Amino acid sequence: MSQVFEGYERQYCEISANLSHICASASVLDGEQKKQRVSEIAGGIEEADTLLRKMDLEARSTPAGTKASLLAKIREYKNDLNSLKTELKRLQPSNPNANAARDELLESGRPDAMQVSADQRGRLMMSTERLNKSTDRVKESRRTMMDTEELGVSILHDLHQQRQSLLHANTTLHGVDDTIGRSKKLLTNMSRRMNRNKWILASIITIILLVVICILYFKLTRHQ
């Protein structure tokens, strides 16, 4: 996985988790505090949207083997961001009388207050679940990166061993070449010695024949 993509992903998960907490807390606020929270959520969503676009560009520049999984992960993040956008629309008042209507609902009795508390707990649980999912995604990304790093180290180790084997084979070939060269010189010297011995033997035989001929000649000459 690209380190640039992983950096964008880490930033997005942190922003998403922070926005979930802000949405949960903003649902029980009113007035200026709620407006401030809504403004923070809108800014965070815009920043998260920018990160997703950068992640998409980075994913499309990766090899085909990892591109599909990265794009699938980006689709999940987009769905998560769309949920936050929906929550932002829910928090934004649709008309100037929205705050007054909410106050009337809060004053209508304790059962309504209990319902609001239950809704708040539900949103907090959803935010916690979203945070856990984001954390799991980051852990999975780190685990994938570690596996990739271990695979790269293993490949480098194998390549180093292969290089050592090739160097050893090259040294062995040089040794064989030297041995062949010495053997060739030895055979050449033996061939020269054999030829010289042949000439010497032929010379000795010739001399012996001449001596024998001379002896026979003198014997024949004396008998006459």
Side-chain angles (χ1 to χ4, degrees), residues 3-17:
Q3 293 183 354
V4 176
F5 183 91
E6 184 185 358
Y8 291 153
E9 183 181 27
R10 188 182 303 109
Q11 293 179 38
Y12 172 81
C13 291
E14 292 175 356
I15 293 174
S16 177

Side-chain angles (χ1 to χ4, degrees), residues 186 188-198 200:
L186 181 61
T188 302
N189 292 332
M190 290 177 64
S191 177
R192 290 175 180 175
R193 289 177 183 177
M194 289 177 64
N195 291 331
R196 187 168 59 249
N197 292 336
K198 286 180 181 179
I200 292 172

Side-chain angles (χ1 to χ4, degrees), residues 155-171:
I155 292 174
L156 288 176
H157 180 68
D158 292 340
L159 290 175
H160 178 72
Q161 288 185 338
Q162 293 178 7
R163 180 176 179 273
Q164 294 297 325
S165 299
L166 290 174
L167 290 175
H168 179 70
N170 189 31
T171 303

